[in-house]
Amino acid sequence: MSVPPPPESIPGARLLFTLDPSVSYLNHGAFGAVPLGVQRTQQRLRDEMEANPQRFFGQALTERLAHTRRHLAAFLGADPEGTALVGNTTTGVAVALQSLGLRPDDEVLGTDHGYGAVNYSVARECRRTGATARSLHLPLSATEAQLVEIVRAGLRPGRTRLLVVDQLTSATARVLPVAALVAVAREHGISVLVDAAHVPGMLPVQVDAIGADFWVGNLHKWGYAPRGTAVLVVAPRWRDRIEPLVVSWQQPSGFPGNVEWQATLDYTGWLSAPAGLYTLRSIGVERVRAHNAALAAYGQRVVGDALGVPPADLPDPGGPGVAMRIVPLPPGVAGTLEGAGALRARIADRLAAEVSVMAWNGRGWLRLCGQVYNTPDEYDRLATRLPALLAEG
């Protein structure tokens, strides 16, 4: 079966970014890439801050943060009164976990697709409170209905206090049916935390319609915001129980201000986030999404073909619009975290390509992203050179 043609490149898109042209940057999902216009917006705000710090950090700052919060919440379909700006998804997860009030008889249930740092955060909170953590295996090939039934069977009513699920998994690039999973958990009064780190900007979303107790997503990946920009969305019943990781002067105001205000934090990244969404809208939100998803699918096929992976063995992301795809590596290659990190570094050094290499369930996986600054020939070059690199052992 022949590889489908790649999408047409978006004219001028590469010029919006300041990436090194000698490197194929195929790992947008890791740290994102900030458009030049957004960089300049943030620098203007930094200049304003340094010109008069006292004035910048005055009362007007809280109003500017509220404006940014409303702008981002509207884009995500979330209630701005229940939305707080945070540094990243794992920060939002930590805020939610410590606000739950876990007890020794409680259980936090996750899946084996969960993000490593989130798993560490759950483990730490369980150690602190005496609660337990448990993980469910979700097969890559499972249908949405099968995923829902696996989770339904894994819940322990009366014991499971919190279900933690990814809306789009990082390691395996799989969309999970979070709205259906929230509904199943609701049947038993179990709270749900949705890790949506990769969703804002990549996938259309109406956060409030999902109905989760907590929803956390990054804007600095697919929303073109400066790094360190994310949102924590909290359901009404939890808002008066949310406690920040660090108490500061906005503590009396309650959520979301008590979470956002961290004294001398550099807020210019958050204030620049609307410029990132402006860039996305200027190119065309649906145009960007369609291009990136098609390009990631093309990259998966050409690299998969080069490694001898049949098309049927290339995991499907489980939904349209996903701009990340994974390719299984040969057995024995990068099957551990250490091995995955070492291979990623070799690919970067030897092939001038930035990719993500994951170890999931004892096997190595190559994750490729598609973004408007990428071109088909970058995936073609990787496909041509990668087999020889892997053959070296």
Side-chain angles (χ1 to χ4, degrees):
M1 186 182 298
S2 61
V3 176
E8 292 187 9
S9 297
I10 297 177
R14 176 83 186 199
L15 299 177
L16 298 175
F17 298 84
T18 56
L19 293 163
D20 184 349
S22 69
V23 175
S24 295
Y25 199 78
L26 309 178
N27 194 18
H28 186 88
F31 300 101
V34 184
L36 178 59
V38 181
Q39 294 179 40
R40 289 174 172 168
T41 296
Q42 185 176 17
Q43 187 57 54
R44 285 194 295 270
L45 286 164
R46 283 176 171 153
D47 291 343
E48 177 190 344
M49 177 173 61
E50 297 306 331
N52 190 333
Q54 179 69 53
R55 180 169 183 170
F56 183 87
F57 284 97
Q59 181 59 36
L61 179 56
T62 59
E63 297 171 3
R64 294 169 83 172
L65 291 173
H67 173 76
T68 296
R69 181 196 313 135
R70 289 191 293 269
H71 189 104
L72 301 183
F75 177 75
L76 298 170
D79 178 5
E81 299 304 313
T83 302
L85 296 159
V86 291
N88 53 37
T89 294
T90 48
T91 299
V93 167
V95 170
L97 286 172
Q98 78 155 16
S99 301
L100 275 171
L102 292 173
R103 300 180 298 270
D105 290 337
D106 290 335
E107 172 187 84
V108 178
L109 181 63
T111 79
D112 60 353
H113 295 253
Y115 188 62
V118 171
N119 294 339
Y120 287 143
S121 189
V122 169
R124 185 186 69 171
E125 191 63 17
C126 286
R127 286 195 304 270
R128 192 178 71 82
T129 61
T132 59
R134 186 164 57 92
S135 179
L136 296 174
H137 171 60
L138 303 182
L140 271 178
S141 59
T143 65
E144 285 194 1
Q146 290 170 334
L147 292 171
V148 171
E149 289 311 308
I150 291 171
V151 172
R152 186 192 302 274
L155 296 173
R156 295 175 179 172
R159 180 73 189 276
T160 306
R161 178 79 182 285
L162 179 70
L163 172 65
V164 181
V165 291
D166 296 67
Q167 189 165 353
L168 173 58
T169 66
S170 178
T172 54
R174 177 67 197 266
V175 174
L176 300 184
V178 290
L181 296 177
V182 168
V184 167
R186 280 279 181 273
E187 296 172 5
H188 303 289
I190 296 170
S191 300
V192 182
L193 189 160
V194 174
D195 177 350
H198 289 275
V199 171
M202 185 201 294
L203 301 178
V205 64
Q206 291 293 314
V207 174
D208 286 350
I210 294 171
D213 297 82
F214 311 98
W215 186 97
V216 196
N218 292 322
L219 273 296
H220 56 243
K221 292 181 183 285
W222 305 90
Y224 296 156
R227 289 171 201 88
T229 305
V231 294
L232 166 64
V233 183
V234 178
R237 72 188 187 101
W238 287 103
R239 292 173 191 173
D240 62 354
R241 289 182 269 181
I242 293 296
E243 291 291 344
L245 299 180
V246 179
V247 173
S248 194
W249 281 104
Q250 285 296 318
Q251 182 67 8
S253 71
F255 184 84
N258 63 345
V259 168
E260 292 177 342
W261 189 259
Q262 297 297 312
T264 53
L265 186 74
D266 183 349
Y267 298 97
T268 60
W270 292 357
L271 297 178
S272 303
L277 294 184
Y278 175 80
T279 302
L280 180 61
R281 290 183 172 116
S282 295
I283 306 171
V285 177
E286 296 307 320
R287 184 186 189 191
V288 169
R289 287 172 175 163
H291 170 274
N292 293 350
L295 193 56
Y298 172 81
Q300 181 191 44
R301 281 294 303 274
V302 295
V303 174
D305 280 1
L307 297 181
V309 181
D313 292 341
L314 294 172
D316 185 272
V322 179
M324 303 191 302
R325 296 291 185 105
I326 59 173
V327 178
L329 293 170
V333 174
T336 65
L337 288 176
E338 295 76 12
L343 179 58
R344 187 211 62 78
R346 286 176 61 207
I347 293 172
D349 293 341
R350 299 274 300 279
L351 306 186
E354 292 292 350
V355 299
S356 178
V357 181
M358 308 285 192
W360 184 75
N361 279 0
R363 181 159 190 180
W365 300 82
L366 181 75
R367 191 188 73 185
L368 300 170
C369 298
Q371 189 48 262
V372 295
Y373 51 71
N374 293 128
T375 56
D377 63 284
E378 293 179 300
Y379 305 90
D380 295 338
R381 287 198 301 271
L382 178 64
T384 299
R385 303 174 64 191
L386 182 60
L389 181 70
L390 297 181
E392 296 175 4

